[in-house]
Each structure stands twice: as C-alpha cells, then as structure tokens.
C-alpha cells in the first residue's frame, strides 16, 4: 500500500455530528494551501458523484434499512471515494484532507449501532484496499453540544444525525475509545471551544506531524 500511496499523505477529520469537522476541514485546507501545500479537500460519504447519491440514500429519513445495509452503503461510497479520489490524489503527492473516513464506520455502526467491530474493521480494509489514514484529528464534543449546533444549522431530516441521544453518546464514547487505542494516529482536539481555537490546535498538530515526516524522509 505504501508504494501505491506515493508521496502524498492522508489526513482525516473525525467526530460526532456538529463537532465542527466540515468547518475545521475547510479552514485547515485554506491555511495549509496558503502555506504552500498541495491540499485536496474531500468528504465522506461523498467526494464522487456516486458517493453523493449514496449519501442522500443513506441519510434519507424516509428510507428504512437494516444496520448492515446502512454499513454497506457507506462502504460502497468509501470504496468509490478511495478508488476515484483518494488514491489518485495521493499518487499525485497531494496532502489529502478527508472530512470523515474509516473511524466513522467503527464509531457509528460499531459502537453506535452495536455491529461487530472486528467485522467492520475487516470490511473497512476491503473497501479501502488497506488505505489507512496517516493522521486523524478527532474533534471531541459532548453529543448534546454537537447536536445543538446541527439543529441550529439545518431543519432538514438526517436519518443518522436525528437518531436519539443515547446513540450519539455511544458514538462519542466509541470515538474516544478508538483514540485511546491508537493515540499515535488519532489526536484528540477539544471541539467545544471557538472555531478559531479549534483551528489553532489542529494546525499545530498537523504542522508538528508534517515536520516529523519531513525529518524522517
Ligand atoms: N467551534 C465552533 N463553535 C461554535 N459553532 C461551531 C464551531 N464549529 C462549527 N460550528 C458551527 O456548528 C455547526 C456544525 O458545524 P459543522 O462544521 O458542520 O460540523 P460537522 O461537520 O462536524 O457536523 C455549523 O453551523 C458551524 O458553523
Ligand atoms: Mg459536516
């Protein structure tokens, strides 16, 4: 996989609904671009036309589906994203910034829905052809505060975002547990603060990590 990845790097932003992932990813992409990096900002589910269509299906509150069907729709969107967007950008040497990736599957479908984590990890490996993130920023916020932000943002239905608070608490605890198991890759940022403070912390983590890569190469 390392060879296929080329000289690029994959940075992912994770966290619950309303944590501020999209806000942070956009600002981070702007600042890193201004600093001279070739940044490719993308998101899941989405990033390709097929991914966008799958996103509207999986989030549609009018559709009922089993937890495994939900998982496979996300994985199909991911497989398309990896093949059509992530790998080409990485091979071109870009710094790829993805708003959500594999950890969301483990947190939402694993911890949130209660599906088997080992099986989800294997399916993630298959869907991504083994492409794992080099660095992940976990935006940590209480589910109550995150949901208050998303409710202020939009009145549109969201089959997963509108799930009950207990579900979002399991997702949040899941993300924390993933971060404690893999502290090297997953760096937690306190996302309850102002967007500017979140950005400052995130940028410091990313710059430190970029320095480490540069001196290792
Ligand atoms: N640090 C922050 N403090 C307050 N509001 C924020 C912060 N970050 C994002 N927001 C707002 O909260 C809402 C959800 O943010 P968003 O970036 O879309 O979260 P996510 O992508 O994690 O669901 C948006 O309306 C956004 O403007
Ligand atoms: Mg978002």
């Amino acid at each position: 996989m390392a060879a296929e990845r080329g000289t690029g790097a994959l940075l992912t932003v994770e966290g619950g609904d309303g944590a501020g992932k999209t806000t942070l990813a956009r600002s981070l992409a702007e600042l890193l671009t201004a600093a001279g990096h070739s940044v490719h900002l993308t998101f899941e589910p989405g990033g390709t036309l097929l991914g966008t269509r799958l996103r509207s299906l999986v989030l549609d509150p009018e559709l009922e589906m089993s937890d495994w069907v939900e998982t496979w729709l996300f994985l199909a969107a991911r497989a398309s994203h990896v093949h059509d967007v992530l790998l080409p950008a990485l091979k071109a040497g870009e710094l790829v910034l993805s708003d959500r990736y594999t950890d969301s599957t483990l947190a939402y479908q694993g911890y949130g829905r209660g599906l088997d984590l080992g099986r989800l990890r294997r399916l993630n490996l298959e869907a991504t052809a083994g492409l794992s993130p080099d660095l992940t920023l976990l935006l940590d916020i209480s589910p109550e505060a995150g949901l208050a932000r998303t409710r202020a943002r939009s009145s549109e239905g969201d089959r997963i975002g509108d799930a009950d608070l207990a579900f979002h608490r399991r997702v949040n605890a899941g993300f924390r547990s993933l971060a404690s198991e893999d502290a090297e890759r997953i760096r937690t940022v306190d996302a309850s603060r102002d967007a500017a403070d979140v950005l400052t912390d995130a940028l410091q983590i990313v710059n430190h990590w970029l320095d480490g890569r540069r001196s290792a190469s």
Side-chain angles (χ1 to χ4, degrees):
M1 196 73 242
E4 281 181 46
R5 177 180 308 212
T7 53
L10 177 59
L11 173 59
T12 63
V13 180
E14 296 278 9
D17 290 71
K21 298 177 296 298
T22 303
T23 304
L24 174 71
R26 286 182 182 152
S27 311
L28 210 47
E30 261 176 46
L31 291 179
L32 291 168
T33 301
H37 296 281
S38 173
V39 179
H40 189 109
L41 174 62
T42 184
F43 65 99
E44 287 199 4
T48 64
L49 178 59
L50 177 61
T52 309
R53 299 264 172 94
L54 288 166
R55 178 190 185 97
S56 64
L57 285 176
V58 81
L59 298 181
D60 189 339
E62 285 182 10
L63 297 179
E64 281 179 33
M65 61 187 77
S66 74
D67 295 340
W68 279 110
V69 169
E70 172 183 296
T71 303
W72 284 320
L73 288 176
F74 277 118
L75 291 168
R78 178 158 309 133
S80 146
H81 191 218
V82 168
H83 183 268
D84 294 347
V85 178
L86 301 186
L87 287 178
L90 291 170
K91 279 181 202 160
E94 296 195 282
L95 177 56
V96 180
L97 188 53
S98 184
D99 177 353
R100 290 198 187 279
Y101 191 55
T102 42
D103 295 305
S104 280
T105 301
L106 302 177
Y108 281 77
Q109 281 70 47
Y111 289 91
R113 301 290 194 210
L115 301 184
D116 183 72
L117 281 169
R119 191 171 176 200
L120 291 172
R121 286 184 200 276
R122 290 193 294 277
L123 290 170
N124 260 338
L125 269 178
E126 287 191 35
T128 60
L131 178 69
S132 57
D134 295 291
L135 178 72
T136 297
L137 296 171
L138 171 62
L139 297 190
D140 185 51
I141 190 168
S142 76
E144 291 86 346
L147 292 175
R149 286 181 185 170
T150 59
R151 293 200 173 123
R153 171 182 66 187
S154 145
S155 55
E156 261 173 51
D158 171 342
R159 207 180 51 81
I160 296 175
D162 296 344
D164 59 27
L165 186 59
F167 172 79
H168 290 284
R169 288 201 172 122
R170 291 194 297 276
V171 170
N172 178 256
F175 274 126
R176 287 180 170 187
S177 165
L178 294 170
S180 70
E181 283 164 21
D182 196 355
E184 182 77 14
R185 170 177 67 89
I186 306 179
R187 308 291 306 274
T188 304
V189 175
D190 174 359
S192 66
R193 299 163 305 153
D194 283 353
D197 294 333
V198 175
L199 177 60
T200 303
D201 269 19
L203 193 62
Q204 198 188 354
I205 292 168
V206 173
N207 279 331
H208 188 258
W209 169 76
L210 285 169
D211 288 345
R213 278 186 107 231
R214 227 173 277 125
S215 53
S217 67

